[in-house]
Amino acid sequence: MTPEERAAFGVEGNWSVARRHRIRWAECDMYAHVNHAAYLTLCEDMRVAHWLSLGGRFAPDAPGPVVAQLEARYIRPLGFDDEVLLTLRPASLRRTSYVQEYAVWKQGLVFSARAVLVLTRQDTGERIPIPAEARRIMVQEQGAKEEG
C-alpha cells in the first residue's frame, strides 16, 4: 500500500495486503447499500489471493484454509460505486490454524472482520501443519505472531 492510498482511504495500523475495489451493483441491496453478505465475499477474495501468494493451491489433494470461526463488525454503510481499500493481515499462527484480520476503508474504517482458519486436506478433512515457507512469510514478512 502506498502512503497516498493510506492517506486517501484513512488507513490505520500495519496491513500486509491491500487492494482497491469499486463496489459493484451486484454487491448492493435495493437501496444501493452494500449487502452485509457482500463484505464477507470481499474477505473471501482476499483470503484466497493471500493463500495463493503464500504458495498454496486449491485442489482435492492439497491442504487449504477452511473458515472455522468468523466475526464481523459493520461500522458505516457503503454504497454503489464507492471506491474502497480492502486490507488483510495474518495476526497469529498455531500448528494447523491461523487468524486473519480484514478491513474495508473509505475515509477511515467502515468494516472489520477476524477469521480463524484451519488448514485441512480437502479430500480427507485431515488437519495439516502450516507449510514452513508459508509460516515464515506470515511471521517474518507479514507480522503474524506465533502462538502455543
Side-chain angles (χ1 to χ4, degrees):
M1 156 180 15
T2 67
E4 293 78 19
E5 286 175 319
R6 180 176 286 283
F9 292 97
V11 176
E12 298 173 10
N14 295 321
W15 296 88
S16 50
V17 180
R19 180 176 86 198
R20 287 179 182 244
H21 177 76
R22 185 163 298 278
I23 301 298
R24 300 172 310 135
W25 182 254
E27 296 165 330
C28 296
D29 60 21
M30 64 185 195
Y31 303 109
H33 295 117
V34 175
N35 180 284
H36 69 282
Y39 290 91
L40 301 179
T41 301
L42 295 174
C43 293
E44 178 182 54
D45 290 345
M46 294 291 284
R47 181 170 51 255
V48 167
H50 184 250
W51 179 244
L52 295 173
S53 77
L54 295 172
R57 62 188 185 96
F58 292 93
D61 64 340
V66 174
V67 176
Q69 183 179 15
L70 180 66
E71 62 182 60
R73 184 171 169 233
Y74 302 89
I75 300 162
R76 289 187 290 124
L78 289 172
F80 172 65
D81 208 36
D82 281 347
E83 185 177 21
V84 298
L85 191 70
L86 312 174
T87 57
L88 172 151
R89 63 182 167 208
S92 61
L93 301 114
R94 291 184 161 214
R95 190 176 81 77
T96 63
S97 65
Y98 58 106
V99 173
Q100 281 186 337
E101 297 174 337
Y102 312 91
V104 179
W105 306 87
K106 181 183 182 230
Q107 298 173 338
L109 184 64
V110 298
F111 170 85
S112 65
R114 183 177 181 91
V116 176
L117 306 168
V118 178
L119 203 58
T120 63
R121 196 176 141 128
Q122 303 307 305
D123 58 351
T124 66
E126 174 189 7
R127 288 180 167 216
I128 303 292
I130 298 169
E133 181 61 7
R135 179 177 292 279
R136 185 197 68 75
I137 291 168
M138 286 192 279
V139 170
Q140 293 178 7
E141 296 177 19
Q142 299 179 342
K145 305 290 183 232
E146 294 269 8
E147 291 185 349

